[in-house]
Amino acid sequence: MQLKRPPSPLHLGLMAASCALLSGTARAQSADDAEQPLQIDADLLYYKENAGRVQTIEPVVSLKKDFGDQRLLDGTLTLDSLSGATPNGAIPARTPQTFASPSSTSLIPEPGHKTTLYTIAPGDLPQDPHFKEQRVAGDLDWSQPIGLDNTLSYGGHASTEHDFESVGAHAGLSHDFNEKNTTLSAGVNEEYDRIHAHGGNPVPGSDYMLYEKESSQTKTVTGGLIGVTQVMRRNWLMELNYAYDHSQGYLTDPYRIISVADATGAVTGYRYESRPENRTRQSLYWVNKLALGPTTLDLSYRRGKDSWSIGSDTVDAKLRIDLGSGMYVEPHARWYHQSAADFYNLYLSETAPAPNFMSADPRLAAFAATTLGIKFGVTTGRNGELSLRLEQYEQRPTDQSSALPQLQGLDLNPNLKATIVQLSWHTEY
Amino acid sequence: MRVVCAAPGGASPPPHAPEFEVAPREGGIVAVCFVAMASPCELLLETADAHAAGEAGRIAAQEAWRIEAKFSRYRPESIVSVINRSRGHAVVVDGETAALIDYAAQCHELSEGLFDITSGVLRRCWTFDGSDRLPEAAAVAALLPLIGFEKVRWQAPRITLPAEMEIDFGGIGKEYAVDRVLGLVAARFAGAALVNFGGDLAANCAPSAAPWQVGVKRPDTEREARLLLELSRGGLATSGDTYRFLLREGVRYGHILDPRSGWPVRDTPRSVTVAAASCVEAGMLATFAMLQGSGAESFLEEQGVRYWCLR
């Protein structure tokens, strides 16, 4: 058989490698100084809620550089762009309802003040149509081994929006033992936030019609985490984490109001919501990673509990199926349930005295949610990967109606549906 | 001068004694024979000087034994055994070992993961003895988490192998020894030389009379060499599954295992012989081709090399 073709790229690569091997140890020595590749991850996330509500476009770029010996620098830059209608917390009513967008400095149009009003038709969920937000966030992490069995990591993050700034720092230490089959890890984090809402921060719990605003407010979050990762069997990895954090300061949502209704259910007014100035959260997170041949299964359960009486359960399962030729498909299912915060209400009763704390934020309500999704991935080039994730999220509140005559037949806290599309690209240089 | 290669993958000769024999052959060729790496090894030299041939033979045998002692996974004191016993701790290796690991890493990359020096753990459940005893699918699957060169932390001179994983230089070590021995001999010796370690060989130039004639034995019989090839310079290597297979319900399971599934590559040729610039290059091309299964021939066509496939 005669030589028919020039050497292929693979053959050229092999020729070069073979020459390097046989020419002595030149390459091995130069590898000492060789730089590790730069890993680049680029993501584009699109999130859209049903019924013309919020949509987000979020590009994320992440760079990871290995400086050798597992010393890693990891940086992430995120840009967020939110727009669409956002529920303001008020319930639908039998009569038209008029609200001011938060950037208004007065409820009543008058000289020297800016007033943007919007009116909601009877029976519709009150939503602010002018909602728009942009966020820039950056995160930088460093990790390095200490001795053979320990890894130290620390880093910081910062983000800014028109009405919110956040800076934080964290540090963690992990220790491997039992022939690296067991890893213990612990970490602490601290965050400082400043909230200066459009048009000022409302006085929590105050009457909406009085339009009382304050200057900027702050909050701090202090947290810690301990965890253990254990290789159970050759194809089974288990991880258990306990996390605790404490938030203190202005925890109220400055844009959220709550309706006040009379004994018939007719809406007679609104109050700005008001949340306690302290919140303690604890969670227990249990993850199992199983390799079933080329197929892998990720199964996790999370139990959360906070000092506002919100208890939550999350069950999450991901099955990654190798399709060969560098392709995989990953179905994903998630189920979530939470109980309501003790100060959550769909609306306040006019006849009862106003409580200290109140909120109609659907995120503090009792609800169940499911996420169903699928991800397709394909390897590109040497170490690259391109993937597409499609997910459908549905949130179903437990309390959605009232028996009061004026409110009968109205959906006071409608189901939420959202679609998530994420395009991810990984490459190395 | 005809060189008859041992059938690839043939029955192992007895453990070698550290000695070698010098025997004159026809056509002014002197053969130095010894056993290393469980293979009959020979060095053929075109010379009339028996003393010089003996000296070259000593250099050749010592180099082969040195490489075997240093890299054999069967030798507890070898660097490979030290790495395999490291249980997740980093091991600092010398330059030669680093060059071999680098080579293995590049081959892993070039073959898109098909060639993997961590796949040897599959021997725990696969014994290719010609029987029909296939392992349980679950036993094979249980080994997969221990396979994958990408799980190895390698930055010369430091290698960290996750606990229970193993590496070996099967498919590299013997070919490397052939090229190394030829290099050492050629540096000290003027005439034509050919090194043949159990069928993997390399030559520096043709003897004055005619090119080296290399006979490749038909793998499944002890009959006459089936292929007769001419070789002037460069390497020639054969990969095959002669005696190393399982047969169940009419399906032949060859000993070439796919590290991604843990199962034998289907429809591999009985043997693949490749000629290339060096023995390591020829050997790796033959191994890559076997890993392509039914696509072995078209793979080799694409590489633009001389090859001989036997099905």
Side-chain angles (χ1 to χ4, degrees):
Chain A
M1 221 155 291
Q2 290 306 306
L3 204 68
K4 289 175 183 166
R5 299 180 186 211
S8 67
L10 182 152
H11 189 194
L12 286 172
L14 193 57
M15 281 164 131
S18 302
C19 282
L21 172 64
L22 298 173
S23 69
T25 57
R27 164 150 168 85
Q29 278 153 0
S30 68
D32 264 336
D33 324 313
E35 296 257 305
Q36 294 293 306
L38 177 69
Q39 296 183 38
I40 303 173
D41 280 284
D43 273 54
L44 188 66
L45 179 81
Y46 176 72
Y47 169 91
K48 184 170 179 24
E49 293 182 359
N50 65 326
R53 281 161 71 167
V54 165
Q55 64 174 24
T56 310
I57 296 173
E58 183 181 291
V60 182
V61 178
S62 166
L63 301 177
K64 193 186 258 182
K65 175 77 185 158
D66 186 342
F67 288 90
D69 292 336
Q70 290 293 348
R71 294 173 308 138
L72 291 169
L73 184 67
D74 197 341
T76 303
L77 184 72
T78 306
L79 300 174
D80 254 348
S81 176
L82 261 79
S83 61
T86 309
N88 65 13
I91 53 172
R94 293 291 173 199
T95 52
Q97 304 185 81
T98 297
F99 304 92
S101 273
S103 59
S104 310
T105 52
S106 164
L107 273 188
I108 302 140
E110 55 185 327
H113 283 280
K114 184 186 163 204
T115 301
T116 311
L117 300 176
Y118 58 94
T119 300
I120 303 298
D124 285 357
L125 184 74
Q127 304 191 79
D128 177 359
H130 306 292
F131 186 72
K132 215 168 221 172
E133 190 57 83
Q134 266 150 10
R135 185 174 73 108
V136 181
D139 188 305
L140 204 61
D141 289 293
W142 173 256
S143 81
Q144 64 175 82
I146 296 185
L148 276 175
D149 298 321
N150 301 301
T151 305
L152 172 71
S153 61
Y154 47 90
H157 70 263
S159 76
T160 176
E161 295 166 53
H162 289 124
D163 55 356
F164 187 81
E165 278 117 36
S166 175
V167 288
H170 58 265
L173 191 65
S174 71
H175 175 66
D176 297 330
F177 61 103
N178 184 19
E179 292 174 14
K180 296 218 176 211
N181 284 322
T182 310
T183 305
L184 277 182
S185 48
V188 289
N189 58 283
E190 178 78 21
E191 182 184 309
Y192 176 82
D193 301 332
R194 201 165 74 90
I195 305 105
H196 45 99
H198 298 290
N201 290 350
V203 176
S206 63
D207 189 328
Y208 184 62
M209 299 317 284
L210 299 177
Y211 220 66
E212 288 180 305
K213 302 283 180 104
E214 307 175 325
S215 55
S216 71
Q217 303 279 352
T218 62
K219 80 169 198 266
T220 55
V221 185
T222 307
L225 176 141
I226 51 169
V228 58
T229 306
Q230 175 70 43
V231 178
M232 304 298 291
R233 305 201 15 201
R234 281 170 185 165
N235 56 347
W236 178 14
L237 189 80
M238 189 191 281
E239 189 180 337
L240 192 65
N241 283 333
Y242 168 78
Y244 172 95
D245 72 48
H246 179 74
S247 309
Q248 189 167 29
Y250 188 82
L251 306 180
T252 296
D253 182 334
Y255 303 128
R256 207 62 83 160
I257 58 176
I258 182 165
S259 303
V260 180
D262 66 15
T264 68
V267 173
T268 57
Y270 314 93
R271 283 183 180 277
Y272 279 108
E273 70 153 49
S274 167
R275 304 186 188 188
E277 294 199 335
N278 285 285
R279 184 186 196 183
T280 301
R281 291 190 294 189
Q282 299 179 75
S283 71
L284 207 54
Y285 182 48
W286 182 45
V287 199
N288 287 280
K289 290 175 192 292
L290 289 146
L292 316 154
T295 299
T296 56
L297 175 67
D298 264 42
L299 205 57
S300 70
Y301 170 73
R302 185 180 177 281
R303 171 72 196 166
K305 189 174 176 302
D306 79 359
S307 58
W308 293 353
S309 299
I310 299 178
S312 68
D313 301 281
T314 315
V315 180
D316 191 294
K318 275 183 189 156
L319 187 68
R320 180 174 161 144
I321 304 162
D322 189 5
L323 300 176
S325 314
M327 286 188 286
Y328 68 88
V329 59
E330 188 181 83
H332 173 212
R334 183 172 174 271
W335 177 84
Y336 175 83
H337 175 267
Q338 76 170 37
S339 55
D342 47 20
F343 53 88
Y344 171 82
N345 270 304
L346 282 168
Y347 55 89
L348 296 174
S349 168
E350 190 188 43
T351 52
N356 283 337
F357 304 115
M358 62 197 94
S359 176
D361 186 340
R363 291 170 297 186
L364 301 182
F367 68 85
T370 47
T371 306
L372 289 174
I374 194 154
K375 182 175 166 184
F376 300 94
V378 61
T379 52
T380 57
R382 204 162 61 92
N383 284 316
E385 186 185 300
L386 192 66
S387 66
L388 179 70
R389 181 165 71 100
L390 302 168
E391 282 185 348
Q392 190 72 38
Y393 172 80
E394 186 172 5
Q395 183 177 310
R396 295 172 303 277
T398 309
D399 292 325
Q400 298 180 291
S401 59
S402 165
L404 296 182
Q406 291 286 323
L407 296 175
Q408 268 181 30
L410 293 178
D411 191 352
L412 305 182
N413 187 5
N415 288 0
L416 169 70
K417 280 185 186 170
T419 305
I420 297 149
V421 181
Q422 187 179 24
L423 190 65
S424 304
W425 182 58
H426 173 87
T427 190
E428 292 179 7
Y429 279 105
Chain B
M1 178 65 228
R2 178 176 294 190
V3 186
V4 175
C5 301
S12 297
H16 74 266
E19 58 188 34
F20 60 94
E21 286 171 14
V22 182
R25 300 253 180 101
E26 67 213 54
I29 303 293
V30 178
V32 182
C33 301
F34 53 94
V35 173
M37 304 174 194
S39 297
C41 299
E42 59 182 356
L43 166 67
L44 302 174
L45 295 162
E46 186 183 33
T47 182
D49 184 345
H51 178 74
E55 181 57 18
R58 189 186 56 78
I59 291 169
Q62 282 183 352
E63 178 65 359
W65 295 330
R66 178 191 74 80
I67 291 172
E68 180 177 15
K70 185 170 174 181
F71 298 110
S72 169
R73 67 188 161 89
Y74 300 111
R75 303 286 189 89
E77 73 286 3
S78 77
I79 182 68
V80 169
S81 296
V82 170
I83 292 168
N84 289 343
R85 282 197 306 265
S86 62
R87 297 168 185 269
H89 294 294
V91 176
V92 174
V93 301
D94 65 295
E96 186 183 31
T97 307
L100 280 165
I101 298 173
D102 267 344
Y103 183 66
Q106 288 166 311
C107 292
H108 181 254
E109 208 174 284
L110 287 166
S111 66
E112 292 173 341
L114 274 178
F115 176 81
D116 197 316
I117 56 168
T118 65
S119 62
V121 291
L122 288 166
R123 276 186 297 263
R124 291 179 196 166
C125 62
W126 285 100
T127 307
F128 296 96
D129 53 7
S131 72
D132 66 348
R133 290 188 295 274
L134 294 182
E136 295 289 331
V140 176
L143 290 175
L144 291 182
L146 300 180
I147 299 169
F149 189 73
E150 64 283 352
K151 296 170 192 160
V152 176
R153 197 197 293 171
W154 165 238
Q155 191 184 14
R158 208 168 276 111
I159 184 167
T160 313
L161 198 64
E164 289 205 64
M165 282 183 68
E166 287 176 14
I167 61 164
D168 67 73
F169 289 125
I172 305 178
K174 191 163 65 147
E175 293 82 351
Y176 171 70
V178 167
D179 288 325
R180 281 280 305 177
V181 165
L182 181 69
L184 285 178
V185 169
R188 287 168 178 76
F189 187 83
L194 180 143
V195 179
N196 172 18
F197 287 6
D200 293 326
L201 48 94
N204 65 342
C205 61
S208 45
W212 301 101
Q213 302 275 304
V214 180
V216 181
K217 265 189 180 173
R218 193 184 158 84
D220 50 354
T221 71
E222 288 301 319
R223 287 186 313 193
E224 184 66 359
R226 175 191 160 99
L227 271 173
L228 198 60
L229 315 174
E230 285 194 348
L231 182 72
S232 294
R233 59 172 303 166
L236 190 79
T238 301
S239 177
D241 74 343
T242 320
Y243 303 107
R244 296 163 67 190
F245 64 91
L246 296 170
L247 194 64
R248 176 115 150 211
E249 287 159 10
V251 178
R252 184 188 173 92
Y253 296 85
H255 80 288
I256 305 287
L257 296 166
D258 186 330
R260 299 167 308 181
S261 68
W263 283 76
V265 177
R266 300 294 292 269
D267 303 319
T268 56
R270 293 289 170 88
S271 83
V272 173
T273 301
V274 176
S278 62
C279 191
V280 283
E281 189 185 316
M284 196 52 65
L285 282 166
T287 303
F288 281 8
M290 286 298 260
L291 285 162
Q292 302 296 322
S294 56
E297 288 88 346
S298 58
F299 169 82
L300 288 164
E301 284 291 331
E302 280 169 29
Q303 308 318 315
V305 290
R306 286 204 298 163
Y307 72 91
W308 300 266
C309 263
L310 189 68
R311 286 203 177 260

